[in-house]
Each structure stands twice: as structure tokens, then as C-alpha cells.
Amino acid sequence: MTDATPRDWIAKRLAESGYIADRDLTTALWLMDMLHRPLLLEGEAGVGKTEVARALASVHETRLIRLQCYEGLDQNAALFEWNYQRQLLAIKAREGDDPDHIEEHIFSERYLLERPLLAAIRQQRPPVLLIDEIDRADEEFEAFLFELLSDFQISIPELGTMTAVSIPRVVLTSNGTRELSDALRRRCLYHYVDFPDVEREARILLARLPNIDAALALQIATMVESVRKEDLRKTPGVAETLDWAAALVGLGVRRLQEDPEAIFETLMCLIKTAEDKARMTREVSDRLLGKVA
């Protein structure tokens, strides 16, 4: 680490991995490392919360372990399962042995099937553990995470408490579909991820699309900002901006005003519902294009 401050170093390494972070996020990631605390990222879908975890893994040249949350997610899918098939084979092979000895044998680590949370605490090199869209999981599962988030350990009834070999960098994301508990929030640092402003989104385009012209990137970011202000059901995220920019570069567009027809036709990269498509008429497209310098 050769730069002036740890925050500068993190910002630089994130940029090198294609993620342009604002100062608040950089500070949150620095504090996360210094305090060994999980980081809760909230924000609308599409603002780049998941990308933060991917970029963080790239920055630290470590493994990204992802747990995608959903309604009904339980400990078996998140933590571990017993390999019942192997256990049955072991029981059959040891027929006639002491039953207590067989039980002790088949409920050992040898018969565990590792799931994301268990994998995260068994890594020699600290991984990045992404617990994605925690707001989609049930409140019971949220409570199950408390031990991991507080003490970086988990309890397995047959084996006891397992403490993390190395402390993972834990990133939780939430789209705000339900309110998270105060208990979970107390265990985490918090950062709200908003849509990037025009200047930062243009920098993202330049970082992710090496062949794009700087002036075109700025025009696209300006146009997307205007689209987001329209009354749409699904606001386009950064990934949609990248798709649209790649499409325009592929078509050879150098300035948005040069080809309004192509601009309108490729807006499908930003629009994701029939309702929004009906609203984004050619007249609306031309009106928004008129705001782009």
C-alpha cells in the first residue's frame, strides 16, 4: 500500500477493477476493514450494490462467496447439509459396530456438505462473503445470521461452535422490500447506495468500456439521468446504462444528436416493462435528447 491514505488506496484499487466509488462508500469500506464489521448496503435495485462485493474481492485478490437470499431460505441451504447418501453407505459398511461409535463417525466434518456461510468461515485467506438481498429472506433467517455477524462463528449441534479461520469481509445488500431488524442493523456498518451522478456514471462508462469516447460517455450519462427522472415503473440501473452505451458504440454513434432514430430504437436497453415502453415514445425520447448538450 503506497498511497497517502488507506481510503485513497481502496478508491484507486476499486477504480482499477472498474468500480468508481464515491468518497462515502470508500470510507465505509475502509472502516469495514479497520473495525472488522459487516457492511450493510441499501439502495434501489440496479445501483451497483452487488458490484461492490465483486470489486472488493478483486481489490483484495480473494474469493467471492455469494449467498443469494430468497423467501424460504433456510440454514441447510445457507450453512451446511449432511451428506445422507455417504452416511448411509458408512452405516452399511460398519454394520455390527458399536452404534455410538457409528453415530460419532457419521456426524463428523467428513460428512458435511459445505454451503456458502460455512465455506466463508473455513477459508485460510479472508474471502468476501456477499449476503445478497437479505430483505428477501425471512426474519427467522435474518436472526440466524446474528451469531455469524457478531462473532464470526456458527454453531452446529452435532459439532459445536466453529469459529472463522480468518475473518471474512461481509457485505449484505438490501433493496428495501421489507424493513430489516434493528438487531441486524446494530451489527453492521451502513451505507446507502444511490444512483451515480452524471460525472461519476460517465467515469464508470469510461472504466468499463475502453472504446467509448469521453464526450459520448458524458452525453449518455446525462440522457440516462433524464430517463430516471421520468415516471417509470422500473428505473434503469447502471448495468442498463452500460448495455445502452455498448450498443451505441457498436452502432458507431459518436454523438447522440447525430442519430435520434438509433437513440430511440436502442432505448430498449434501458426500458424493461411494457408499461414503461408505452410511456417512452419517440416524442419523449426527442424531448430528453434535447436536454443533452
Side-chain angles (χ1 to χ4, degrees), residues 97-162:
D97 287 3
D98 179 8
D100 291 338
H101 179 70
I102 294 176
E103 182 178 348
E104 183 180 352
H105 177 72
I106 63 173
F107 287 108
S108 64
E109 290 193 37
R110 184 177 177 184
Y111 293 91
L112 281 179
L113 291 175
E114 206 174 66
R115 300 302 182 223
L117 298 184
L118 183 58
I121 68 166
R122 298 175 89 182
Q123 302 295 310
Q124 293 293 328
R125 184 181 179 83
V128 172
L129 171 62
L130 169 62
I131 303 177
D132 211 8
E133 299 183 330
I134 181 61
D135 51 321
R136 291 185 182 275
D138 303 324
E139 292 179 4
E140 290 77 11
F141 182 79
E142 187 182 314
F144 160 71
L145 291 175
F146 292 166
E147 183 182 16
L148 174 68
L149 299 179
S150 296
D151 303 318
F152 297 103
Q153 66 180 33
I154 55 177
S155 296
I156 297 177
E158 297 86 352
L159 300 176
T161 300
M162 301 179 73

Side-chain angles (χ1 to χ4, degrees), residues 2-23:
T2 57
D3 295 278
T5 68
R7 279 182 295 186
D8 290 340
W9 180 82
I10 292 173
K12 180 181 177 185
R13 292 300 307 273
L14 285 172
E16 288 171 352
S17 70
Y19 192 96
I20 308 300
D22 59 25
R23 187 167 180 80

Side-chain angles (χ1 to χ4, degrees), residues 184-233:
L184 182 133
R185 291 179 182 277
R186 277 198 303 273
R187 287 165 168 81
C188 302
L189 299 173
Y190 176 81
H191 177 68
Y192 186 84
V193 184
D194 208 345
F195 287 109
D197 59 25
V198 169
E199 186 272 337
R200 191 157 69 89
E201 190 149 31
R203 289 177 59 203
I204 292 170
L205 292 175
L206 291 170
R208 301 290 289 272
L209 301 173
N211 296 326
I212 195 170
D213 176 78
L216 178 61
L218 188 60
Q219 284 195 325
I220 291 172
T222 302
M223 178 87 173
V224 171
E225 183 185 55
S226 296
V227 172
R228 287 184 182 134
K229 291 177 180 175
E230 294 295 303
D231 183 22
L232 299 178
R233 180 180 169 191

Side-chain angles (χ1 to χ4, degrees), residues 223 256-257 259-260 263 284-293:
M223 178 87 173
L256 297 189
Q257 292 86 352
D259 194 345
I263 301 306
V284 173
S285 175
D286 288 347
R287 172 171 58 80
L288 298 180
L289 187 58
K291 298 179 180 179
V292 178

